[in-house]
Amino acid sequence: MSSVIGIGIAGGLIVLGVLAILIAGGKNLMSGKQDLKKIIMFAIPFVVFGVAYGITTDTSDAGIATMLFMMAVMVLTIVLSGFRSTFNL
């Protein structure tokens, strides 16, 4: 029983933390302290997860698909930046 209560409290704290981050981010965006491109880059994994969840309708499968997609993007970015520095593009 105590583990259920502990998990509920931890989940509630996570939700409160995410809400605080979203509120602070919105406030900073409105005041011009943050760049919109940085916020869009931060939102990409959430969008990928939403699309994967819409396709798979399972959170664990969507999480794995998001992880694999983001790892592939990371490898592609590393390869492209390596080519760019190698060939001075």
Side-chain angles (χ1 to χ4, degrees):
M1 182 66 175
S2 63
S3 63
V4 174
I5 294 171
I7 291 172
I9 291 172
L13 289 173
I14 289 171
V15 168
L16 287 174
V18 169
L19 285 175
I21 290 169
L22 289 174
I23 291 169
K27 182 179 173 186
N28 286 337
L29 182 63
M30 293 302 214
S31 66
K33 293 181 182 178
Q34 291 294 327
D35 187 20
L36 185 60
K37 289 184 280 187
K38 291 179 183 179
I39 293 174
I40 290 172
M41 291 299 292
F42 181 77
I44 288 174
F46 296 103
V47 172
V48 171
F49 180 79
V51 170
Y53 182 72
I55 293 170
T56 63
T57 66
D58 184 32
T59 55
S60 59
D61 289 342
I64 291 170
T66 302
M67 178 192 66
L68 292 175
F69 178 79
M70 295 307 293
M71 287 176 67
V73 169
M74 178 190 67
V75 168
L76 183 66
T77 304
I78 290 171
V79 168
L80 290 176
S81 67
F83 281 144
R84 183 176 175 204
S85 64
T86 300
F87 297 115
N88 294 325
L89 299 175

